[in-house]
Structure formats: structure tokens, C-alpha cells
Amino acid sequence: MDRALQQATSSNKLKLIKAECLAFLGRYEEAQNIANDILHIDSLNVDALYVRGMCLYYQDFIEKSYSHLQQVLKLAPDYSKALELYRRVKLLITKKDEGNEAFKNGHLQEAYELYSCALEIDPSNVYTNAKLYFNRATVCSKISKLNQAIEDCTQAIKLDENYIKAYLRRAKW
């Protein structure tokens, strides 16, 4: 992409392809910078909005991502990549919220199943999955599955090595 951009320095299409690739590589800040530069010029560029929404999603800003993807789909209802990600985001929000609600209401087995289901939605969303593993570990500790609680905290730490709450909770058990 860099070679192509050397030849076509003003091509927003190539810049956005590069930004999408950077996002898939986990280089979210670089991808967002490219998308933001384009959005400063064209605030309704659906490709740039999609890239920004995708970056937000993978950085665990799920609600913001959802808003960006809604905006993309209002502007371009047939944008297949945005529609696919939008459905995944919506399902993830739903399962996570349902799991939180079940936990809050003391329906621990249901919360466990909902968090487990949410973990299957997108294995590549590491930061959100780290939180889901942590939530499921909390449920496991309440239903006397301490070994699984420790394993889930370990999984959360593998996904996000800076997740202090997971370290603290694992050490507690």
C-alpha cells in the first residue's frame, strides 16, 4: 500500500485500504489517524467512518463503534462489511448486557451461558473478550467453580496483559 500511495499520494481510496489493513494488524491509532484525516475533508465518507468504527470496536469502545456503524449504514445501507460488523457489534452488546443483567439478578448459570455465548461471537476482539472472561470468572467464583474462574482470569490476562483487575482477582483465589 505504501508503494501505491507513493504513486497516488492523494488517493483516499488507497489510504482507506491501508487504514483497514492497519486496523486488522492491531495498529488502531495509525488507522484512525488516516480515517480522521479523510473525515476532516469529507465528514460523510462511509469508508472512513467504517474504518473508525472498526477501530473503536477492536479497542473495546463498543457503543461508539455501534454509533459509527449506524451512521455508515444510514448513508450506505448496502455496505456489506459495515453491515456484517454492525450485526456482530449488536449481538455482542446484546449478549454482554443480557449476561450483566442475569448476573445482577442472581441468575448465575444464565449469566455464565450468556458470557460464554458472547465469547464465541468474535475471538479476534481481544479487549472485549478479556472483559467477558473476567465477567465469567466472577460468575464462576460465585458458583464454586474456582478452577475455571482462575482459568478465565488467566485467559483475560493472555488477551490483555495490562488488565489489572484480572491479575488481582486471580491472585485473590
Side-chain angles (χ1 to χ4, degrees), residues 79-93:
Y79 196 125
S80 60
K81 290 189 289 187
L83 186 58
E84 179 186 326
L85 184 57
Y86 173 80
R87 288 180 179 149
R88 203 173 333 138
V89 170
K90 188 174 181 180
L91 182 59
L92 190 59
I93 289 170

Side-chain angles (χ1 to χ4, degrees), residues 28 52-62 64-66 69 85 88-89 92 121-125 127-128:
Y28 307 116
R52 193 156 65 174
M54 184 174 61
C55 289
L56 290 167
Y57 170 69
Y58 286 112
Q59 291 175 300
D60 194 39
F61 298 110
I62 303 295
K64 286 182 180 180
S65 171
Y66 187 73
L69 294 169
L85 184 57
R88 203 173 333 138
V89 170
L92 190 59
I121 293 169
D122 188 355
S124 60
N125 190 333
Y127 296 111
T128 299

Side-chain angles (χ1 to χ4, degrees), residues 8-154:
T9 57
S10 299
S11 173
N12 285 342
K13 183 174 177 117
L14 291 177
K15 289 177 185 177
L16 287 165
I17 292 170
K18 178 181 178 175
E20 188 174 357
C21 291
L22 289 169
F24 284 125
L25 291 171
R27 294 164 59 182
Y28 307 116
E29 190 173 326
E30 292 173 74
Q32 280 185 306
N33 287 339
I34 293 169
N36 288 339
D37 288 346
I38 292 169
L39 287 168
H40 285 302
I41 297 164
D42 177 8
S43 64
L44 299 179
N45 185 305
V46 292
D47 294 315
L49 288 167
Y50 165 73
V51 168
R52 193 156 65 174
M54 184 174 61
C55 289
L56 290 167
Y57 170 69
Y58 286 112
Q59 291 175 300
D60 194 39
F61 298 110
I62 303 295
E63 299 295 334
K64 286 182 180 180
S65 171
Y66 187 73
S67 299
H68 276 71
L69 294 169
Q70 281 180 319
Q71 187 177 2
V72 169
L73 292 171
K74 282 180 188 172
L75 297 168
D78 295 330
Y79 196 125
S80 60
K81 290 189 289 187
L83 186 58
E84 179 186 326
L85 184 57
Y86 173 80
R87 288 180 179 149
R88 203 173 333 138
V89 170
K90 188 174 181 180
L91 182 59
L92 190 59
I93 289 170
T94 300
K95 292 298 178 190
K96 185 178 177 185
D97 288 348
E98 287 174 354
N100 292 344
E101 189 65 26
F103 180 79
K104 190 167 75 174
N105 291 328
H107 304 291
L108 300 177
Q109 188 60 42
E110 182 183 355
Y112 176 86
E113 291 166 12
L114 288 163
Y115 291 138
S116 296
C117 185
L119 282 163
E120 294 174 8
I121 293 169
D122 188 355
S124 60
N125 190 333
V126 295
Y127 296 111
T128 299
N129 286 341
K131 289 182 179 177
L132 289 168
Y133 273 114
F134 179 79
N135 289 355
R136 194 171 77 174
T138 303
V139 170
C140 287
S141 72
K142 301 236 181 240
I143 59 175
S144 300
K145 291 184 175 182
L146 291 182
N147 286 337
Q148 174 145 14
I150 292 167
E151 287 176 30
D152 281 357
C153 281
T154 301

Side-chain angles (χ1 to χ4, degrees), residues 156-172:
I157 293 165
K158 282 182 184 175
L159 293 173
D160 181 2
E161 63 185 27
N162 297 316
Y163 197 8
I164 303 300
K165 286 171 66 174
Y167 284 106
L168 295 173
R169 184 67 52 89
R170 188 177 70 177
K172 182 179 175 183

